[in-house]
Amino acid sequence: MPAKRRTKLKTRMIFTLGLVSVLQTLLIGLFAGYYLSESLYNEIGQRALMVAKTIAASPAIINGIQQRNVEDLNTLTHTLATTNEALFIVIGDHDAIRLAHPSPARIGHSMADDDGDYGHKALVEGEGYIARAMGNLGESMRGKAPVLDPTNGAIIGIVSVGYSVAQVEATVQHYNFILYGVLGVVLLISILAAVVIASRFKRAIFGLEPEEIAGLFQERDATLQSVREGIIAINRDGIITTVNLAALTTLGLDEDTPVAGRPILDILPESDLMSVLSSGIPDFDREVWLRNKQMVVNRLPMRQGDDIIGVVASFRLRNELDHVSQQLTHIQQYADTLRSQTHEYSNKLHTIAGLIQLGAYNDALGLIGSEVSSHQALIHLLLEAVPDPIIAGCLLGKHNRAREMGLHLDIDPDSQMTDLPDNLPRDQLVSVLGNLIDNALEATRRHTGPNGRVQLSMTDLGQELIFEVEDQGPGVAPELQNQIFEKGVTSKAGHEHGFGLHLVRKFLDSWGGSITVENLSVAGGSRFTLYLPKKPTGRSPSCPPSDC
């Protein structure tokens, strides 16, 4: 069954904002129209009452009522109605009998026969009031006021002033036309604004739909959690915004620890993320201590335009990287050994085949015997002196590598390395020995050419394991002897060197060993002597410098 097609976000936003604008405009229009209508009716009523009170206080009106001068009162009310644009002005005596009215036939009759209201509140209570009623002249807003005798304050009559409701409704319609016109323009502007807002919002989220954003968020979270490196991100205020499970595990924090939303310095007081945030300079492959663990950290500032909005850091335990590096080193060593053996034996097999074809059988047998004897002697020496198969295999590989380079790796027949501590990491020891021998072979080949010799001697007597590697290279310059073990320092050309001896130093520091370097003669040659205690005395990789 095909998935239900969803309306696009832009369409939904325009429809929603447009609907809100329509409802808002409709409510405002209804309220404004109602308020305007009521205000106008009230204003006309107040005007009618004000005119009524003014007429009731006129001496001419008072005298006309007292003298019951109907003709003068009608003439006067007609003039006043015209002047005040009133529908009518009616005057009655204290019994609500009309003395003046626009229709002469109504004069002399009770005002109650018009709308049932004879002006009780004005004639009895003496108060002016406003009323809306249907009379013989049509529906009107009326203001009624009592006429008082100025000598004794007695109520002697009533004045009723009326304004046509049709006039009020015409005024209301006029103002409503203007009001609804303005509201229509406002509605149109609101709809256009909804289109603009929806378009800008859609561009701000790269044209994605909410469902697509949700999918990307889930994908991003899954990707973040699948990365084996710890990842922490902070915003410009130093607040943690993102952290993955690997980060919590690496830092030794509980998975339920509330980390997101807290300042980075509360979780990692020793963190340098704030300095990267202020400087904006990325930091790669920095070895640091975090929560008593040695780690390799990469820090990268996040930018929005020219502003730094945060920093993201990825980190991993240093020993994990060392383990990977050591595995790569072993693979390289195995590959070198196989390649050198293949190359060497291929040449010798070709030589033997040629001797047989020439009929020089004795020479072929002699070559085979010497080869077998040489290898048997080396293997016998390694089995006797170095029973550990990992170290013996490394030395055998380096021996074959030397022969491929046209050099000789001589192992002292008096060497002995049988008392190896069980907790000594063989892979690290092999990496250290391999680096020293490789450096010696390279230095010898560059200085003496073919047939140069590198000598190795080993002893496990006493409380230390001692390895000596002598080469026939140019030696180590005195000014480099104290720096040769620093990262990046090398006597070779190129930027890809200067790491092997640094790794040697790192291993020795962690185990508590030491190494010395000395030149053998003015003509050249150097000796590297490695000392490893059988019981480790150095700093543990999980111990920070301040605690060791």
Side-chain angles (χ1 to χ4, degrees):
M1 182 176 180
K4 183 178 180 181
R5 185 178 181 86
R6 296 178 179 270
T7 306
K8 291 187 176 181
L9 175 63
K10 184 177 179 179
T11 304
R12 281 182 278 172
M13 288 187 65
I14 294 175
F15 177 77
T16 303
L17 293 175
L19 181 61
V20 171
S21 299
V22 170
L23 293 176
Q24 185 178 17
T25 304
L26 183 62
L27 291 175
I28 292 176
L30 292 175
F31 174 78
Y34 174 79
Y35 182 77
L36 175 63
S37 176
E38 291 298 314
S39 297
L40 285 174
Y41 279 114
N42 183 65
E43 181 181 348
I44 294 299
Q46 291 293 336
R47 181 180 177 183
L49 180 60
M50 186 65 66
V51 173
K53 287 181 178 181
T54 302
I55 294 173
S58 171
I61 297 297
I62 296 174
N63 290 333
I65 294 175
Q66 288 175 338
Q67 297 175 10
R68 302 187 70 82
N69 191 340
V70 175
E71 184 178 353
D72 289 345
L73 287 175
N74 277 278
T75 301
L76 185 58
T77 55
H78 177 72
T79 302
L80 291 173
T82 303
T83 302
N84 290 281
E85 300 179 347
L87 177 65
F88 63 82
I89 296 178
V90 177
I91 298 177
D93 61 11
H94 61 85
D95 293 323
I97 302 300
R98 298 187 185 93
L99 299 177
H101 193 279
S103 298
R106 299 280 181 176
I107 297 174
H109 296 280
S110 173
M111 296 175 66
D113 65 1
D114 192 11
D115 58 1
D117 180 13
Y118 66 89
H120 177 273
K121 192 173 183 179
L123 291 174
V124 177
E125 300 178 9
E127 296 181 3
Y129 66 96
I130 299 172
R132 180 175 178 174
M134 175 64 75
N136 65 310
L137 297 178
E139 189 176 11
S140 61
M141 291 294 299
R142 304 176 180 186
K144 297 185 178 185
V147 181
L148 304 178
D149 189 336
T151 58
N152 55 18
I155 299 174
I156 61 174
I158 184 173
V159 175
S160 177
V161 178
Y163 284 88
S164 175
V165 170
Q167 291 178 293
V168 180
E169 290 178 346
T171 304
V172 170
Q173 289 178 358
H174 173 71
Y175 283 114
N176 280 342
F177 178 77
I178 297 175
L179 173 64
Y180 291 126
V182 172
L183 290 177
V185 174
V186 172
L187 177 61
L188 180 61
I189 293 175
S190 299
I191 294 175
L192 292 176
V195 174
V196 173
I197 292 172
S199 300
R200 289 176 62 89
F201 183 80
K202 197 67 184 294
R203 285 197 302 269
I205 60 175
F206 304 103
L208 298 174
E209 296 296 317
E211 296 78 11
E212 294 174 326
I213 295 175
L216 287 176
F217 178 80
Q218 292 175 343
E219 181 181 339
R220 169 256 190 193
D221 188 63
T223 302
L224 189 66
Q225 298 302 334
S226 66
V227 175
R228 294 187 60 187
E229 286 195 350
I231 296 177
I232 289 181
I234 63 172
N235 61 16
R236 68 183 69 200
D237 298 320
I239 304 300
I240 298 175
T241 57
T242 302
V243 59
N244 66 348
L245 183 61
L248 299 177
T249 303
T250 303
L251 295 174
L253 298 173
D254 189 85
E255 295 181 9
D256 299 327
T257 302
V259 174
R262 296 178 60 184
I264 183 64
L265 296 181
D266 287 356
I267 304 299
L268 298 172
E270 62 271 55
S271 172
D272 288 335
L273 287 182
M274 296 303 295
S275 62
V276 177
L277 183 65
S278 60
S279 67
I281 301 175
D283 194 9
F284 299 107
D285 297 328
R286 175 67 63 86
E287 295 184 14
V288 298
W289 290 91
L290 296 174
R291 298 181 67 87
N292 296 337
K293 298 179 180 179
Q294 189 180 19
M295 302 184 188
V296 177
V297 180
N298 294 294
R299 307 182 184 97
L300 187 68
M302 297 182 290
R303 298 180 182 273
Q304 189 174 50
D306 295 331
D307 297 330
I308 299 175
I309 61 173
V311 179
V312 61
S314 63
F315 51 91
R316 197 165 187 171
L317 291 173
R318 181 70 177 84
N319 55 9
E320 291 183 9
L321 296 178
D322 286 342
H323 181 66
V324 173
S325 176
Q326 290 159 5
Q327 288 181 331
L328 293 176
T329 300
H330 294 165
I331 294 173
Q332 181 64 41
Q333 290 172 347
Y334 297 149
D336 289 344
T337 300
L338 292 175
R339 182 164 56 87
S340 61
Q341 288 181 341
T342 300
H343 181 71
E344 179 182 359
Y345 283 105
S346 177
N347 291 333
K348 291 182 177 180
L349 287 175
H350 289 155
T351 303
I352 293 172
L355 291 174
I356 293 175
Q357 290 176 356
L358 294 174
Y361 304 114
N362 292 330
D363 293 335
L365 290 174
L367 181 59
I368 295 172
S370 65
E371 181 63 26
V372 172
S373 175
S374 174
H375 269 272
Q376 287 296 327
L378 176 61
I379 292 174
H380 179 75
L381 171 61
L382 292 177
L383 289 175
E384 291 291 333
V386 189
D388 188 276
I390 295 178
I391 299 176
C394 172
L395 296 180
L396 181 60
K398 295 303 177 185
H399 181 272
N400 293 329
R401 171 64 175 163
R403 296 183 62 177
E404 184 187 35
M405 296 171 64
L407 304 175
H408 300 279
L409 175 59
D410 298 330
I411 301 177
D412 188 349
D414 295 328
S415 295
Q416 180 176 333
M417 191 58 60
T418 59
D419 190 15
L420 288 172
D422 293 335
N423 60 341
L424 178 64
R426 302 299 195 270
D427 54 351
Q428 296 188 31
L429 179 57
V430 164
S431 177
V432 168
L433 283 177
N435 274 312
L436 292 178
I437 295 173
D438 285 341
N439 287 342
L441 292 173
E442 288 290 339
T444 301
R445 184 174 64 174
R446 290 200 314 269
H447 189 63
T448 64
N451 296 319
R453 312 192 79 86
V454 173
Q455 295 183 355
L456 170 66
S457 63
M458 304 170 287
T459 180
D460 58 1
L461 299 177
Q463 300 301 315
E464 291 182 319
L465 308 177
I466 303 175
F467 299 86
E468 288 187 355
V469 179
E470 296 182 3
D471 61 53
Q472 293 179 342
V476 180
E479 61 272 14
L480 287 180
Q481 289 186 6
N482 294 328
Q483 305 175 10
I484 195 68
F485 298 100
E486 295 180 7
K487 188 175 182 179
V489 177
T490 179
S491 59
K492 304 174 185 178
H495 299 286
E496 68 275 11
H497 303 292
F499 299 97
L501 292 180
H502 174 69
L503 293 176
V504 172
R505 171 65 72 184
K506 296 288 290 185
F507 169 70
L508 293 176
D509 288 344
S510 65
W511 191 261
S514 62
I515 188 171
T516 62
V517 56
E518 58 181 322
N519 291 328
L520 299 178
S521 65
V522 178
S526 59
R527 178 190 295 120
F528 286 80
T529 306
L530 183 69
Y531 301 91
L532 283 177
K534 294 181 180 180
K535 294 183 180 179
T537 59
R539 174 168 54 85
S540 170
S542 62
C543 174
S546 58
D547 297 341
C548 297

